[in-house]
């Protein structure tokens, strides 16, 4: 268990569904795409989120990630108003503006920790899109506090027993302090917005306006839980996808040149907009392929609430099923030459041959990531905006080592140097 990823990869060699006794609990690793599809799309009525996901409820409350049953169903409907395509298109400008603010701070020759730089950028995006401009300073504070909270979970998940919230350790005290801070700020932002009644075009406005069939909206508590959930679920995942993309491109300079050329060609000298996303087709393939090799959410867990038949076995109530993009995405049964970084495997003529659930970085079934289109729009717009201006070169002597937590984080920062692409780079592609 010291090396979870290798352990699961080796275990998966025993078959498409494998019994994994871990400590005192029972897990079944499900790696076959057809079984994953069956469980996530049809079996969801006899499953709930796994124990670790429920631990996140200490901060997220009863938001979409952690809630279950009727409450989840109602909230999913309400929150989905904030993620309709028309709304996502309007968030594009805030995404691009955030990218330009990062560019304003950078200069030719700078060396960045790419994961920290992308985390800062996607935090800025989620702050702007969730709470618009009026509370940008506070959104930043919330972001910082949530970073402390994410780090806390990384440490906690490595321990066999999660300590209760009253535990008098320094890390638990820091956790509590930051959780209260987030709570206080988010509640105040909601209260101010309710009073002003203004539609600022951001996610919060969409959440405030959302009504169910009976005309009911969300309570302040639900709004608080959903805002914090979106903040937490929305920024680290996308930042990992982007940072890992820059790392992989630095290892594949020919592809990197082509992505630069596409950005230069589609955007010219103007700012990107959401309308460009459909034309940035190579950027999309590159990001998809990065998330195949390095899925930000590397494992998805579901605990069975009843016995369930899967793949010819009766899996007992209480067992946790693990669907592990890291394992399935890298398995030779589903991908040719699976460890090769090959964005062209996502060309329509090649991707059509893949099983729909051989690739599931956003999960699947009714609980599929509600932010998946938001995330792809964001990743494509940020990648093309940044790569048009700079090449990201890995400072030699480093490789990407991973530290699985709730997300698949880097074990340490990766230093990358920014250089302006040469005048002929675009043509060379
Ligand atoms: C590359 C970026 C992202 C990745 C890889 C990702 C991945 C995932 C995955 C795998 C799940 C399903 C978890 C499960 O079934 O247990 C999920 C759920 C969720 N994600 Fe994302 N996500 C990303 C970006 C975002 C963004 C940008 C937002 C919001 C702004 C978001 C909000 C959510 C929420 C609210 C859920 C829970 C949905 C539900 O259960 O109804 N995610 N995400």
């Amino acid at each position: 268990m010291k090396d979870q990823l290798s352990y699961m990869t080796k275990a998966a060699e025993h078959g498409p569904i494998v019994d994994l006794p871990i400590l005192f609990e029972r897990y079944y690793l499900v790696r076959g795409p057809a079984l994953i599809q069956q469980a996530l799309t049809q079996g969801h009525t006899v499953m709930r989120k796994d124990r670790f996901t429920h631990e996140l409820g200490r901060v997220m409350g009863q938001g979409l990630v952690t809630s279950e049953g009727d409450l989840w169903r109602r909230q999913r409907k309400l929150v989905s108003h904030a993620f309709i395509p028309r709304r996502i298109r309007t968030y594009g400008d805030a995404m691009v503006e955030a990218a330009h603010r990062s560019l304003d701070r950078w200069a030719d020759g700078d060396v960045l920790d790419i994961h920290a730089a992308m985390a800062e950028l996607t935090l800025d995006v989620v702050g702007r899109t969730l709470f618009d401009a009026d509370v940008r300073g506070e959104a930043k504070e919330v972001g910082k506090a949530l970073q402390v909270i994410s780090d806390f979970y990384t440490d906690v998940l490595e321990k066999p027993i999660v300590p209760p919230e009253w535990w008098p350790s320094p890390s638990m005290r820091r956790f509590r302090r930051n959780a209260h801070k987030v709570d206080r700020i988010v509640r105040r932002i909601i209260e101010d917005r309710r009073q002003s009644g203004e539609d600022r075009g951001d996610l919060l406005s969409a959440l405030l306006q959302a009504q169910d069939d009976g005309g009911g909206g969300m309570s302040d508590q639900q709004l608080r839980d959903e805002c914090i959930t979106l903040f937490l679920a929305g920024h680290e995942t996308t930042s990992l996808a982007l940072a890992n993309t820059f790392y992989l491109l630095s290892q594949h300079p020919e592809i990197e040149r082509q992505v630069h050329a596409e950005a230069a060609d589609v955007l010219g000298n103007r700012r990107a907009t959401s309308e460009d996303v459909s034309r940035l087709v190579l950027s999309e393939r590159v990001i998809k392929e990065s998330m195949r090799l390095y899925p930000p959410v590397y494992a998805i867990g579901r605990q069975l609430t009843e016995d369930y038949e899967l793949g010819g076995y009766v899996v007992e109530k209480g067992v946790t099923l693990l669907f592990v993009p890291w394992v399935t995405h890298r398995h030779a049964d589903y991908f040719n030459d699976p460890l090769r970084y090959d964005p062209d495997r996502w060309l329509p003529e090649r991707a059509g041959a893949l099983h729909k659930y051989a690739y599931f970085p956003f999960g699947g079934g009714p609980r599929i990531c509600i932010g998946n289109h938001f995330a792809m729009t964001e990743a494509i717009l940020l990648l093309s905006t940044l790569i048009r201006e700079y090449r990201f070169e890995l400072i030699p002597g480093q490789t990407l080592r991973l530290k699985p937590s709730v997300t698949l984080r880097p074990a340490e920062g990766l230093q990358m140097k920014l250089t302006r692409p040469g005048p002929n780079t675009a043509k060379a592609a």
Side-chain angles (χ1 to χ4, degrees):
M1 276 304 286
K2 283 226 165 70
D3 182 354
Q4 262 191 63
L5 298 176
S6 313
Y7 174 66
M8 290 194 292
T9 304
K10 282 191 195 126
E13 284 315 308
H14 292 283
I17 175 162
V18 181
D19 189 350
L20 290 185
I22 302 178
L23 293 169
F24 311 111
E25 296 192 47
R26 288 186 68 196
Y27 291 86
Y28 276 30
L29 172 61
V30 186
R31 79 149 150 88
L35 299 180
I36 297 169
Q37 179 168 27
Q38 182 199 324
L40 288 178
T41 61
Q42 295 160 26
H44 64 94
T45 50
V46 294
M47 295 173 196
R48 64 198 302 272
K49 294 270 180 123
D50 62 299
R51 190 167 61 81
F52 286 120
T53 305
H54 280 289
E55 286 296 336
L56 299 172
R58 291 183 190 194
V59 180
M60 293 176 162
Q62 293 284 298
L64 273 190
V65 167
T66 43
S67 55
E68 304 280 357
D70 288 345
L71 174 62
W72 168 77
R73 251 183 300 282
R74 175 176 189 267
Q75 289 300 108
R76 175 90 192 192
K77 255 191 172 167
L78 289 173
V79 177
S80 64
H81 290 285
F83 288 93
I84 54 175
R86 180 177 54 78
R87 281 264 177 193
I88 294 177
R89 275 197 298 278
T90 65
Y91 307 142
D93 288 348
M95 294 168 178
V96 173
E97 171 61 25
H100 279 276
R101 288 197 5 146
S102 287
L103 286 171
D104 289 345
R105 285 195 300 274
W106 299 344
D108 197 9
D110 278 359
V111 174
L112 305 173
D113 170 345
I114 191 68
H115 286 90
M118 291 305 116
E120 196 178 344
L121 173 50
T122 57
L123 204 57
D124 193 8
V125 169
V126 82
R128 282 162 192 271
T129 49
L130 194 52
F131 300 137
D132 189 36
D134 53 343
V135 288
R136 200 163 297 149
E138 283 174 310
K140 237 185 170 161
E141 258 192 85
V142 174
K144 271 198 213 140
L146 287 176
Q147 200 61 50
V148 176
I149 289 167
S150 298
D151 293 346
F152 167 85
Y153 277 113
T154 308
D155 295 343
V156 149
L157 292 185
E158 280 172 0
K159 303 198 170 88
I161 295 167
V162 184
E165 225 174 302
W166 50 262
W167 197 252
S169 67
S171 68
M172 188 58 93
R173 269 200 290 272
R174 207 167 43 245
F175 168 83
R176 278 198 304 265
R177 216 175 29 250
N178 282 280
H180 285 145
K181 188 175 189 179
V182 170
D183 196 55
R184 207 176 48 245
I185 299 176
V186 170
R187 281 182 195 280
R188 212 193 41 249
I189 294 172
I190 292 169
E191 200 183 303
D192 289 353
R193 192 67 72 81
R194 259 213 211 279
Q195 271 173 15
S196 79
E198 200 183 346
D199 181 353
R200 303 189 69 118
D202 54 10
L203 283 160
L204 177 56
S205 294
L207 297 179
L208 274 161
Q209 286 163 13
Q211 290 188 337
D212 59 20
D213 298 339
M218 286 186 220
S219 67
D220 281 358
Q221 179 65 36
Q222 281 160 344
L223 278 167
R224 173 254 175 235
D225 291 353
E226 298 304 356
C227 283
I228 293 177
T229 294
L230 295 179
F231 225 116
L232 268 172
H235 97 271
E236 186 171 324
T237 42
T238 318
S239 115
L240 289 171
L242 274 166
N244 295 336
T245 298
F246 283 115
Y247 167 75
L248 285 161
L249 290 178
S250 74
Q251 306 304 294
H252 299 85
E254 186 50 40
I255 304 174
E256 191 261 353
R257 270 191 290 277
Q258 291 169 21
V259 181
H260 168 77
E262 178 182 83
D265 184 38
V266 172
L267 306 181
N269 287 324
R270 62 173 175 78
R271 282 193 173 205
T273 71
S274 300
E275 314 304 315
D276 295 313
V277 170
S278 60
R279 293 194 292 146
L280 292 162
V281 286
L282 176 59
S283 302
E284 181 181 357
R285 292 204 296 278
V286 156
I287 291 159
K288 282 186 82 170
E289 181 68 347
S290 304
M291 290 200 293
R292 185 182 67 82
L293 285 176
Y294 297 106
V297 177
Y298 66 100
I300 295 168
R302 291 288 187 278
Q303 190 168 31
L304 287 172
T305 53
E306 289 173 24
D307 291 356
Y308 181 62
E309 199 183 322
L310 187 64
Y313 300 93
V314 176
V315 188
E316 283 163 37
K317 174 180 170 178
V319 168
T320 298
L321 298 176
L322 286 179
F323 313 100
V324 187
W326 172 271
V327 166
T328 304
H329 289 185
R330 290 171 161 248
H331 203 282
D333 280 0
Y334 321 120
F335 291 95
N336 281 333
D337 202 357
L339 300 187
R340 194 160 90 88
Y341 185 64
D342 176 14
D344 282 352
R345 67 173 89 236
W346 297 108
L347 284 167
E349 59 274 23
R350 287 176 62 191
L354 296 172
H355 190 288
K356 193 170 169 227
Y357 276 74
Y359 179 75
F360 58 110
F362 294 109
R367 297 205 73 148
I368 194 169
C369 175
I370 201 165
N372 63 356
H373 297 301
F374 180 107
M376 285 309 291
T377 301
E378 177 181 359
I380 293 168
L381 289 175
L382 300 191
L383 173 65
S384 55
T385 299
L386 300 180
I387 211 165
R388 185 183 55 176
E389 303 301 323
Y390 287 112
R391 299 193 60 212
F392 292 70
E393 285 172 22
L394 188 69
I395 303 285
Q398 309 172 92
T399 57
L400 178 56
R401 292 196 314 113
L402 301 162
K403 182 178 179 184
S405 169
V406 181
T407 54
L408 194 52
R409 294 176 146 199
E412 64 263 318
L414 276 185
Q415 305 297 317
M416 299 191 89
K417 185 173 169 191
L418 300 180
T419 52
R420 291 270 180 206
N424 295 323
T425 318
K427 271 189 231 128

